[in-house]
């Protein structure tokens, strides 16, 4: 099941710079997209979401962009902080289903 | 404070044994889910539960798995006869609304180790 793909297993950025995490999906029925953040020994924590009627959603330092034609979404974190270091999961759901599909995650490391 | 409390945090069991993983939501939620994450892999959907019945399940959720809400508060995942490949983090998640309208809120997970 590769409906949601995060092709970069890891990303390292300098504190203060922008972090860009990418996610691709294959199921054109997906209409609700989310980013979760996960620290070791904890469950995923909801970060930000976007519905398919929008192409951008912003919440503080976090912005999610959705490109429906490319079936691509990205999460921008600016400025990046060391506390942002975690694994970030992209997730998506379709109106017809009652489940949420996750990507494999990208480990972000923000260096001081 | 997490929306969901999971117990135990770590469970070690021998192959072939039954395990029950528990989840207690803090506030009222209508939708319940179990996900698992095998070490280093993605978070995988197992099952969703609404109105006291399974609403959707994945191909992973075979006859060895079952879920229930025995007392209206606890939400449990039972694995009847564990296999080595069942070793994973199991996450319970809840939502006040159907998926697609609100995010899921996850517990901190139960690490299941099958030896």
């Amino acid at each position: 099941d590769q409906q949601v793909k995060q092709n970069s297993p890891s990303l390292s950025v300098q504190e203060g710079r922008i972090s860009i995490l990418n996610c691709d999906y294959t199921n054109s029925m997906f209409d609700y997209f989310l980013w979760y953040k996960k620290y070791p020994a904890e469950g995923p924590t909801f970060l930000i979401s976007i519905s398919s009627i929008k192409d951008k959603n912003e919440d503080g330092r976090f912005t999610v962009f959705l490109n429906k034609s490319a079936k691509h979404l990205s999460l921008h974190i600016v400025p990046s902080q060391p506390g942002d270091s975690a694994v970030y999961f992209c997730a998506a759901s379709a109106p017809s289903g009652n489940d949420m599909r996750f990507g494999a995650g990208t480990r972000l490391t923000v260096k001081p | 404070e997490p929306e969901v409390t999971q117990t135990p945090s770590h469970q070690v069991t021998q192959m072939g044994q039954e395990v029950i993983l528990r989840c207690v939501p803090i506030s009222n939620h209508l939708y319940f889910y179990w996900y698992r994450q095998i070490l280093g892999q993605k978070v995988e959907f197992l099952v969703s539960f609404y109105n006291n019945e399974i609403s959707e399940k994945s191909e992973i959720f075979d006859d060895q798995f079952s879920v229930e809400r025995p007392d209206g508060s606890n939400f449990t995942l039972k694995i009847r006869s564990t296999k080595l490949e069942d070793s994973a983090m199991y996450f319970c998640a809840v939502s006040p609304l159907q998926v697609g309208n609100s995010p899921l809120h996850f517990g901190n997970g139960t690490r299941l180790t099958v030896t």
Side-chain angles (χ1 to χ4, degrees):
Chain A
D1 180 353
Q2 290 286 305
Q3 296 188 54
V4 181
K5 301 179 191 177
Q6 292 177 258
N7 292 320
S8 298
S10 64
L11 174 69
S12 181
V13 301
Q14 207 66 36
E15 181 178 7
R17 298 290 187 97
I18 184 171
S19 296
I20 300 177
L21 298 110
N22 293 301
C23 177
D24 298 293
Y25 61 94
T26 57
N27 188 342
S28 57
M29 298 303 293
F30 286 150
D31 69 344
Y32 184 56
F33 305 89
L34 310 91
W35 284 95
Y36 282 82
K37 177 179 177 180
K38 185 180 180 304
Y39 293 117
E42 294 183 12
T45 302
F46 169 69
L47 200 55
I48 192 169
S49 65
I50 187 168
S51 74
S52 59
I53 61 173
K54 292 185 173 183
D55 54 19
K56 176 183 174 181
N57 188 26
E58 191 172 352
D59 183 2
R61 296 185 297 114
F62 303 92
T63 303
V64 55
F65 295 92
L66 176 62
N67 182 335
K68 290 184 287 295
S69 60
K71 294 192 179 66
H72 177 84
L73 67 156
S74 61
L75 175 68
H76 293 209
I77 306 173
V78 55
S80 302
Q81 299 172 354
D84 295 330
S85 297
V87 177
Y88 288 78
F89 290 96
C90 167
S93 65
S96 57
N98 197 22
D99 64 336
M100 189 172 286
R101 301 288 171 161
F102 284 75
T106 296
R107 180 177 300 279
L108 174 66
T109 303
V110 180
K111 298 180 179 178
Chain B
E1 188 177 16
E3 302 253 350
V4 179
T5 300
Q6 287 187 245
T7 57
S9 57
H10 191 188
Q11 173 98 38
V12 181
T13 189
Q14 288 191 326
M15 194 168 53
Q17 295 295 304
E18 175 184 285
V19 294
I20 297 177
L21 310 182
R22 291 184 169 79
C23 169
V24 180
I26 289 179
S27 54
N28 289 333
H29 290 280
L30 297 177
Y31 296 86
F32 301 85
Y33 308 81
W34 283 101
Y35 282 79
R36 78 173 186 190
Q37 184 185 24
I38 295 172
L39 184 64
Q41 299 186 25
K42 66 178 180 179
V43 176
E44 299 175 294
F45 169 75
L46 293 178
V47 65
S48 58
F49 190 85
Y50 169 70
N51 202 26
N52 287 322
E53 61 182 24
I54 291 174
S55 52
E56 192 156 345
K57 59 182 181 179
S58 72
E59 57 279 2
I60 301 170
F61 194 88
D62 60 23
D63 292 343
Q64 295 282 41
F65 292 88
S66 63
V67 290
E68 62 176 1
R69 287 191 76 198
D71 56 10
S73 59
N74 289 286
F75 178 50
T76 62
L77 174 69
K78 182 192 291 185
I79 308 175
R80 277 184 251 289
S81 178
T82 51
K83 303 187 285 286
L84 293 176
E85 53 265 36
D86 293 328
S87 296
M89 283 292 293
Y90 287 81
F91 294 105
C92 173
V94 297
S95 174
L97 301 171
Q98 191 171 9
V99 157
N101 295 300
S102 74
L104 304 185
H105 300 280
F106 286 82
N108 283 334
T110 293
R111 179 175 297 282
L112 176 65
T113 302
V114 182
T115 61

